[in-house]
PDB file of all heavy atoms in Angstrom:
ATOM      1  N   LYS A   4       2.851 -18.246  -3.835  1.00 45.00           N
ATOM      2  CA  LYS A   4       3.870 -17.545  -3.075  1.00 45.00           C
ATOM      3  C   LYS A   4       5.110 -17.468  -3.932  1.00 45.00           C
ATOM      4  O   LYS A   4       5.414 -18.374  -4.687  1.00 45.00           O
ATOM      5  CB  LYS A   4       4.151 -18.279  -1.769  1.00 45.00           C
ATOM      6  CG  LYS A   4       2.969 -18.223  -0.823  1.00 45.00           C
ATOM      7  CD  LYS A   4       3.286 -18.855   0.487  1.00 45.00           C
ATOM      8  CE  LYS A   4       2.036 -18.781   1.364  1.00 45.00           C
ATOM      9  NZ  LYS A   4       2.241 -19.390   2.631  1.00 45.00           N
ATOM     10  N   THR A   5       5.835 -16.363  -3.805  1.00 41.00           N
ATOM     11  CA  THR A   5       7.034 -16.211  -4.623  1.00 41.00           C
ATOM     12  C   THR A   5       8.139 -17.099  -4.081  1.00 41.00           C
ATOM     13  O   THR A   5       8.169 -17.436  -2.898  1.00 41.00           O
ATOM     14  CB  THR A   5       7.510 -14.754  -4.649  1.00 41.00           C
ATOM     15  OG1 THR A   5       7.768 -14.341  -3.318  1.00 41.00           O
ATOM     16  CG2 THR A   5       6.491 -13.851  -5.283  1.00 41.00           C
ATOM     17  N   LYS A   6       9.044 -17.473  -4.954  1.00 42.00           N
ATOM     18  CA  LYS A   6      10.184 -18.288  -4.558  1.00 42.00           C
ATOM     19  C   LYS A   6      11.103 -17.457  -3.687  1.00 42.00           C
ATOM     20  O   LYS A   6      11.208 -16.250  -3.837  1.00 42.00           O
ATOM     21  CB  LYS A   6      10.915 -18.792  -5.788  1.00 42.00           C
ATOM     22  CG  LYS A   6      10.092 -19.772  -6.586  1.00 42.00           C
ATOM     23  CD  LYS A   6      10.878 -20.312  -7.743  1.00 42.00           C
ATOM     24  CE  LYS A   6       9.985 -21.272  -8.513  1.00 42.00           C
ATOM     25  NZ  LYS A   6      10.660 -21.845  -9.652  1.00 42.00           N
ATOM     26  N   GLN A   7      11.771 -18.124  -2.776  1.00 42.00           N
ATOM     27  CA  GLN A   7      12.689 -17.458  -1.871  1.00 42.00           C
ATOM     28  C   GLN A   7      14.128 -17.774  -2.251  1.00 42.00           C
ATOM     29  O   GLN A   7      14.452 -18.883  -2.659  1.00 42.00           O
ATOM     30  CB  GLN A   7      12.453 -17.939  -0.430  1.00 42.00           C
ATOM     31  CG  GLN A   7      11.044 -17.724   0.082  1.00 42.00           C
ATOM     32  CD  GLN A   7      10.790 -16.302   0.465  1.00 42.00           C
ATOM     33  OE1 GLN A   7      11.624 -15.676   1.089  1.00 42.00           O
ATOM     34  NE2 GLN A   7       9.641 -15.780   0.109  1.00 42.00           N
ATOM     35  N   LYS A   8      15.004 -16.794  -2.107  1.00 42.00           N
ATOM     36  CA  LYS A   8      16.434 -17.030  -2.265  1.00 42.00           C
ATOM     37  C   LYS A   8      16.927 -17.700  -0.989  1.00 42.00           C
ATOM     38  O   LYS A   8      16.212 -17.772   0.011  1.00 42.00           O
ATOM     39  CB  LYS A   8      17.168 -15.702  -2.451  1.00 42.00           C
ATOM     40  CG  LYS A   8      16.834 -14.968  -3.722  1.00 42.00           C
ATOM     41  CD  LYS A   8      17.690 -13.724  -3.759  1.00 42.00           C
ATOM     42  CE  LYS A   8      17.217 -12.719  -4.764  1.00 42.00           C
ATOM     43  NZ  LYS A   8      17.961 -11.470  -4.657  1.00 42.00           N
ATOM     44  N   LYS A   9      18.185 -18.120  -0.967  1.00 41.00           N
ATOM     45  CA  LYS A   9      18.750 -18.775   0.213  1.00 41.00           C
ATOM     46  C   LYS A   9      18.745 -17.864   1.436  1.00 41.00           C
ATOM     47  O   LYS A   9      18.643 -18.329   2.560  1.00 41.00           O
ATOM     48  CB  LYS A   9      20.166 -19.263  -0.073  1.00 41.00           C
ATOM     49  CG  LYS A   9      20.190 -20.460  -0.991  1.00 41.00           C
ATOM     50  CD  LYS A   9      21.592 -20.951  -1.210  1.00 41.00           C
ATOM     51  CE  LYS A   9      21.565 -22.121  -2.195  1.00 41.00           C
ATOM     52  NZ  LYS A   9      22.906 -22.578  -2.512  1.00 41.00           N
ATOM     53  N   ASP A  10      18.857 -16.563   1.232  1.00 40.00           N
ATOM     54  CA  ASP A  10      18.876 -15.640   2.374  1.00 40.00           C
ATOM     55  C   ASP A  10      17.480 -15.308   2.888  1.00 40.00           C
ATOM     56  O   ASP A  10      17.309 -14.482   3.777  1.00 40.00           O
ATOM     57  CB  ASP A  10      19.623 -14.353   2.026  1.00 40.00           C
ATOM     58  CG  ASP A  10      18.955 -13.521   0.941  1.00 40.00           C
ATOM     59  OD1 ASP A  10      17.881 -13.915   0.446  1.00 40.00           O
ATOM     60  OD2 ASP A  10      19.512 -12.469   0.594  1.00 40.00           O
ATOM     61  N   GLY A  11      16.448 -15.960   2.312  1.00 42.00           N
ATOM     62  CA  GLY A  11      15.069 -15.747   2.770  1.00 42.00           C
ATOM     63  C   GLY A  11      14.371 -14.596   2.086  1.00 42.00           C
ATOM     64  O   GLY A  11      13.198 -14.357   2.291  1.00 42.00           O
ATOM     65  N   GLN A  12      15.083 -13.851   1.262  1.00 41.00           N
ATOM     66  CA  GLN A  12      14.507 -12.702   0.567  1.00 41.00           C
ATOM     67  C   GLN A  12      13.775 -13.174  -0.684  1.00 41.00           C
ATOM     68  O   GLN A  12      14.234 -14.095  -1.348  1.00 41.00           O
ATOM     69  CB  GLN A  12      15.640 -11.756   0.188  1.00 41.00           C
ATOM     70  CG  GLN A  12      15.196 -10.359  -0.065  1.00 41.00           C
ATOM     71  CD  GLN A  12      16.384  -9.438  -0.094  1.00 41.00           C
ATOM     72  OE1 GLN A  12      17.043  -9.254   0.916  1.00 41.00           O
ATOM     73  NE2 GLN A  12      16.660  -8.860  -1.214  1.00 41.00           N
ATOM     74  N   PRO A  13      12.645 -12.564  -1.005  1.00 42.00           N
ATOM     75  CA  PRO A  13      11.938 -12.983  -2.204  1.00 42.00           C
ATOM     76  C   PRO A  13      12.792 -12.786  -3.451  1.00 42.00           C
ATOM     77  O   PRO A  13      13.490 -11.781  -3.579  1.00 42.00           O
ATOM     78  CB  PRO A  13      10.707 -12.065  -2.248  1.00 42.00           C
ATOM     79  CG  PRO A  13      10.569 -11.544  -0.872  1.00 42.00           C
ATOM     80  CD  PRO A  13      11.949 -11.514  -0.293  1.00 42.00           C
ATOM     81  N   ALA A  14      12.757 -13.762  -4.346  1.00 51.00           N
ATOM     82  CA  ALA A  14      13.461 -13.635  -5.617  1.00 51.00           C
ATOM     83  C   ALA A  14      12.862 -12.459  -6.373  1.00 51.00           C
ATOM     84  O   ALA A  14      11.659 -12.280  -6.395  1.00 51.00           O
ATOM     85  CB  ALA A  14      13.328 -14.921  -6.422  1.00 51.00           C
ATOM     86  N   GLY A  15      13.701 -11.637  -6.996  1.00 55.00           N
ATOM     87  CA  GLY A  15      13.190 -10.472  -7.716  1.00 55.00           C
ATOM     88  C   GLY A  15      12.583  -9.456  -6.781  1.00 55.00           C
ATOM     89  O   GLY A  15      11.581  -8.845  -7.092  1.00 55.00           O
ATOM     90  N   GLY A  16      13.152  -9.296  -5.605  1.00 87.00           N
ATOM     91  CA  GLY A  16      12.596  -8.425  -4.582  1.00 87.00           C
ATOM     92  C   GLY A  16      12.432  -6.982  -5.033  1.00 87.00           C
ATOM     93  O   GLY A  16      13.143  -6.494  -5.904  1.00 87.00           O
ATOM     94  N   THR A  17      11.465  -6.324  -4.442  1.00 95.00           N
ATOM     95  CA  THR A  17      11.212  -4.910  -4.668  1.00 95.00           C
ATOM     96  C   THR A  17      11.736  -4.158  -3.446  1.00 95.00           C
ATOM     97  O   THR A  17      12.025  -4.771  -2.417  1.00 95.00           O
ATOM     98  CB  THR A  17       9.707  -4.645  -4.809  1.00 95.00           C
ATOM     99  OG1 THR A  17       9.070  -4.950  -3.558  1.00 95.00           O
ATOM    100  CG2 THR A  17       9.087  -5.495  -5.920  1.00 95.00           C
ATOM    101  N   PRO A  18      11.836  -2.842  -3.509  1.00 96.00           N
ATOM    102  CA  PRO A  18      12.237  -2.104  -2.309  1.00 96.00           C
ATOM    103  C   PRO A  18      11.337  -2.417  -1.100  1.00 96.00           C
ATOM    104  O   PRO A  18      11.815  -2.461   0.034  1.00 96.00           O
ATOM    105  CB  PRO A  18      12.129  -0.640  -2.738  1.00 96.00           C
ATOM    106  CG  PRO A  18      12.387  -0.670  -4.211  1.00 96.00           C
ATOM    107  CD  PRO A  18      11.736  -1.947  -4.683  1.00 96.00           C
ATOM    108  N   ALA A  19      10.050  -2.673  -1.350  1.00 97.00           N
ATOM    109  CA  ALA A  19       9.135  -3.005  -0.249  1.00 97.00           C
ATOM    110  C   ALA A  19       9.496  -4.338   0.388  1.00 97.00           C
ATOM    111  O   ALA A  19       9.565  -4.443   1.626  1.00 97.00           O
ATOM    112  CB  ALA A  19       7.691  -3.034  -0.752  1.00 97.00           C
ATOM    113  N   THR A  20       9.739  -5.360  -0.413  1.00 96.00           N
ATOM    114  CA  THR A  20      10.059  -6.674   0.162  1.00 96.00           C
ATOM    115  C   THR A  20      11.452  -6.673   0.787  1.00 96.00           C
ATOM    116  O   THR A  20      11.679  -7.343   1.790  1.00 96.00           O
ATOM    117  CB  THR A  20       9.916  -7.806  -0.877  1.00 96.00           C
ATOM    118  OG1 THR A  20      10.795  -7.562  -1.984  1.00 96.00           O
ATOM    119  CG2 THR A  20       8.487  -7.928  -1.365  1.00 96.00           C
ATOM    120  N   VAL A  21      12.364  -5.909   0.216  1.00 95.00           N
ATOM    121  CA  VAL A  21      13.694  -5.783   0.805  1.00 95.00           C
ATOM    122  C   VAL A  21      13.585  -5.129   2.184  1.00 95.00           C
ATOM    123  O   VAL A  21      14.194  -5.586   3.156  1.00 95.00           O
ATOM    124  CB  VAL A  21      14.644  -4.993  -0.131  1.00 95.00           C
ATOM    125  CG1 VAL A  21      15.941  -4.620   0.570  1.00 95.00           C
ATOM    126  CG2 VAL A  21      14.917  -5.795  -1.395  1.00 95.00           C
ATOM    127  N   ALA A  22      12.779  -4.057   2.279  1.00 95.00           N
ATOM    128  CA  ALA A  22      12.587  -3.375   3.568  1.00 95.00           C
ATOM    129  C   ALA A  22      11.929  -4.303   4.587  1.00 95.00           C
ATOM    130  O   ALA A  22      12.315  -4.320   5.760  1.00 95.00           O
ATOM    131  CB  ALA A  22      11.750  -2.111   3.374  1.00 95.00           C
ATOM    132  N   LEU A  23      10.945  -5.065   4.144  1.00 96.00           N
ATOM    133  CA  LEU A  23      10.279  -6.003   5.054  1.00 96.00           C
ATOM    134  C   LEU A  23      11.242  -7.074   5.540  1.00 96.00           C
ATOM    135  O   LEU A  23      11.267  -7.404   6.733  1.00 96.00           O
ATOM    136  CB  LEU A  23       9.073  -6.647   4.360  1.00 96.00           C
ATOM    137  CG  LEU A  23       7.837  -5.772   4.286  1.00 96.00           C
ATOM    138  CD1 LEU A  23       6.846  -6.327   3.271  1.00 96.00           C
ATOM    139  CD2 LEU A  23       7.182  -5.669   5.660  1.00 96.00           C
ATOM    140  N   THR A  24      12.034  -7.620   4.639  1.00 95.00           N
ATOM    141  CA  THR A  24      12.996  -8.647   5.021  1.00 95.00           C
ATOM    142  C   THR A  24      13.995  -8.089   6.033  1.00 95.00           C
ATOM    143  O   THR A  24      14.285  -8.722   7.052  1.00 95.00           O
ATOM    144  CB  THR A  24      13.727  -9.200   3.779  1.00 95.00           C
ATOM    145  OG1 THR A  24      12.749  -9.767   2.900  1.00 95.00           O
ATOM    146  CG2 THR A  24      14.741 -10.260   4.151  1.00 95.00           C
ATOM    147  N   ALA A  25      14.485  -6.895   5.772  1.00 94.00           N
ATOM    148  CA  ALA A  25      15.455  -6.260   6.674  1.00 94.00           C
ATOM    149  C   ALA A  25      14.860  -5.984   8.049  1.00 94.00           C
ATOM    150  O   ALA A  25      15.561  -6.043   9.057  1.00 94.00           O
ATOM    151  CB  ALA A  25      15.980  -4.969   6.057  1.00 94.00           C
ATOM    152  N   SER A  26      13.548  -5.712   8.099  1.00 95.00           N
ATOM    153  CA  SER A  26      12.905  -5.375   9.371  1.00 95.00           C
ATOM    154  C   SER A  26      12.718  -6.593  10.261  1.00 95.00           C
ATOM    155  O   SER A  26      12.594  -6.463  11.477  1.00 95.00           O
ATOM    156  CB  SER A  26      11.536  -4.734   9.124  1.00 95.00           C
ATOM    157  OG  SER A  26      10.600  -5.734   8.724  1.00 95.00           O
ATOM    158  N   GLY A  27      12.639  -7.764   9.650  1.00 95.00           N
ATOM    159  CA  GLY A  27      12.432  -8.980  10.434  1.00 95.00           C
ATOM    160  C   GLY A  27      10.985  -9.281  10.781  1.00 95.00           C
ATOM    161  O   GLY A  27      10.711 -10.271  11.446  1.00 95.00           O
TER     162      GLY A  27
END
Side-chain angles (χ1 to χ4, degrees):
K4 292 184 181 179
T5 58
K6 293 184 181 180
Q7 302 283 317
K8 294 182 195 173
K9 288 182 183 176
D10 65 1
Q12 201 166 294
T17 65
T20 59
V21 169
L23 282 164
T24 300
S26 75

